[in-house]
Amino acid sequence: MLPKYLFYIAFGTLILSGCGLETDDDEDDSSVTTVVVDVNQSPYLPLTNATQFFYTETGGSPGAVEGSVTYDLGTSNSKGYSVYKVAISGGNVDMELYFRTTTNQIELLGIDGPLGVSGSASVDHLRFATPIRLIGNRSDQTTAVTADVVYNGAPEDGTVISLTYDTTNTSNETVSRSDWTELELPTLKSVLTADINISVGGLSLDPFPIVMNFYFTKGLGLMQHSGDLTSSAGNEYEIKFHDLDGLPNLIAFDQTGSNVEGTSSFFTLADGAIDTNISSTEYRIANLSALNALGWLEIEETNTDVYSVGIDTASDALPDSLTSVQVIFENRYSSGERLSASVTLLAP
């Protein structure tokens, strides 16, 4: 069992950032709540407050879609555990996804963004009574749902909503950026296939099918996402990773130990238009022992207070397939603040 830390959250009096306990400054909640916070998150979805991912929508301009990550204080208080909001906006995409990420699981708690379930009804602000677990294969699962329903053009309060769903995982697909010539990233793909069942005033509407595809990469998080949330056929939207901000830049090597796609041999933090070195004086590597045990990844603290990274190409443990590993940086002075980085080794 990995450690958990018990915190008392009082909005406006305690602010921690990183992969531990965090607050969303936009949230207006003055109550004091006991929250058990999982400092250790899933390596496939490490979330850090006040950071951004930039995506490219299919057919859109590179990086025009922003995925803004914030710690959702109100939901975290009510649930008793950490909940993060990922607000995705730009181009034809405008939605918010609510996640809980723990050591071995990624849970989807809600979706904001209108879903047109029929010609006469739409739903928004869906919240699942039982969170949907995205890691693992499951079938014929059901959860109650609360949502805002508009029926025949007017808000409707007398509704009963449920979601029947399956989740399937695969790990044989990769994601890439349009301007990358060599680099691909391995993913865990999770597909959510569901029917939304709505009863309005005793009248049951036809079940409405939705599909959501999530592509997660170790150390980075949500690298690609697509979905079909209305009656239109096929994926209505698809976004792919372009860049990030407020987080460590990705690093990639080929089998000769050379960096690819202009990545660095030093861990750096994306900070607007400037990349800054991650200081070994300020951050330690929390999972260094596990990384050293791999036998092929070489991380060193230099005499200039930065971390260098390389590949031992002569190691018998060198992977012969596309591999990404997570590197966790923990602030030496601010307990609970963590940043997640990713190192990828290309296949031969």
Side-chain angles (χ1 to χ4, degrees):
M1 176 70 70
L2 289 168
K4 294 182 179 180
Y5 300 91
L6 186 63
F7 295 97
Y8 290 88
I9 297 181
F11 179 70
T13 63
L14 179 61
I15 299 179
L16 297 174
S17 64
C19 296
L21 178 63
E22 306 173 70
T23 64
D24 181 353
D25 292 339
D26 294 331
E27 188 72 44
D28 183 13
D29 191 332
S30 59
S31 62
V32 178
T33 303
T34 302
V35 179
V36 177
V37 177
D38 288 303
V39 174
N40 295 280
Q41 301 181 345
S42 168
Y44 287 103
L45 190 62
L47 295 173
T48 301
N49 185 51
T51 58
Q52 289 79 37
F53 279 81
F54 297 95
Y55 300 95
T56 300
E57 183 182 12
T58 299
S61 300
V65 177
E66 180 177 349
S68 179
V69 179
T70 54
Y71 181 87
D72 192 289
L73 181 64
T75 307
S76 299
N77 280 355
S78 65
K79 292 291 186 181
Y81 51 73
S82 295
V83 177
Y84 290 82
K85 177 175 70 176
V86 180
I88 303 173
S89 62
N92 297 310
V93 185
D94 187 8
M95 66 189 309
E96 296 174 349
L97 304 173
Y98 294 81
F99 291 106
R100 181 191 186 192
T101 172
T102 65
T103 305
N104 298 309
Q105 190 54 255
I106 298 170
E107 297 179 349
L108 179 65
L109 283 76
I111 304 170
D112 289 351
L115 281 66
V117 299
S118 73
S120 56
S122 65
V123 296
D124 201 348
H125 307 114
L126 286 82
R127 297 295 182 270
F128 309 122
T130 302
I132 296 172
R133 295 186 173 187
L134 295 177
I135 295 183
N137 296 313
R138 295 174 178 82
S139 60
D140 298 324
Q141 304 292 299
T142 300
T143 180
V145 181
T146 60
D148 296 333
V149 178
V150 174
Y151 184 65
N152 287 331
E156 179 62 54
D157 294 329
T159 60
V160 178
I161 310 173
S162 65
L163 191 80
T164 304
Y165 66 91
D166 301 338
T167 56
T168 57
N169 289 178
T170 55
S171 57
N172 59 352
E173 295 190 43
T174 62
V175 298
S176 186
R177 210 171 78 172
S178 60
D179 59 341
W180 286 346
T181 59
E182 297 180 78
L183 179 57
E184 294 181 325
L185 299 173
T187 68
L188 171 68
K189 179 183 179 182
S190 180
V191 179
L192 169 64
T193 306
D195 282 334
I196 300 176
N197 308 290
I198 301 179
S199 176
V200 180
L203 175 65
S204 295
L205 304 181
D206 290 336
F208 178 75
I210 64 171
V211 178
M212 302 183 80
N213 304 292
F214 302 89
Y215 297 77
F216 303 107
T217 293
K218 277 187 178 180
L220 289 169
L222 184 60
M223 304 305 288
Q224 183 172 322
H225 175 53
S226 60
D228 183 0
L229 303 180
T230 70
S231 56
S232 301
N235 285 333
E236 294 174 341
Y237 65 91
E238 182 179 54
I239 56 173
K240 296 182 179 181
F241 171 79
H242 180 76
D243 208 347
L244 45 74
D245 189 42
L247 294 165
N249 289 297
L250 63 89
I251 293 175
F253 297 93
D254 62 20
Q255 291 276 322
T256 70
S258 299
N259 287 102
V260 297
E261 305 297 353
T263 63
S264 175
S265 292
F266 298 92
F267 287 104
T268 60
L269 187 69
D271 186 10
I274 302 173
D275 292 340
T276 58
N277 290 322
I278 295 178
S279 168
S280 58
T281 301
E282 184 176 0
Y283 287 92
R284 73 178 188 92
I285 297 179
N287 61 335
L288 185 59
S289 295
L291 295 171
N292 287 337
L294 294 174
W296 56 271
L297 188 64
E298 299 177 325
I299 298 178
E300 296 181 354
E301 183 178 345
T302 73
N303 57 10
T304 56
D305 295 329
V306 298
Y307 289 104
S308 66
V309 58
I311 303 298
D312 181 0
T313 59
S315 172
D316 292 337
L318 191 70
D320 59 2
S321 60
L322 181 65
T323 302
S324 287
V325 297
Q326 182 187 33
V327 180
I328 302 172
F329 291 96
E330 184 174 70
N331 194 297
R332 296 182 187 271
Y333 308 106
S334 178
S335 176
E337 181 184 342
R338 288 185 168 189
L339 296 171
S340 178
S342 182
V343 178
T344 295
L345 177 66
L346 301 187

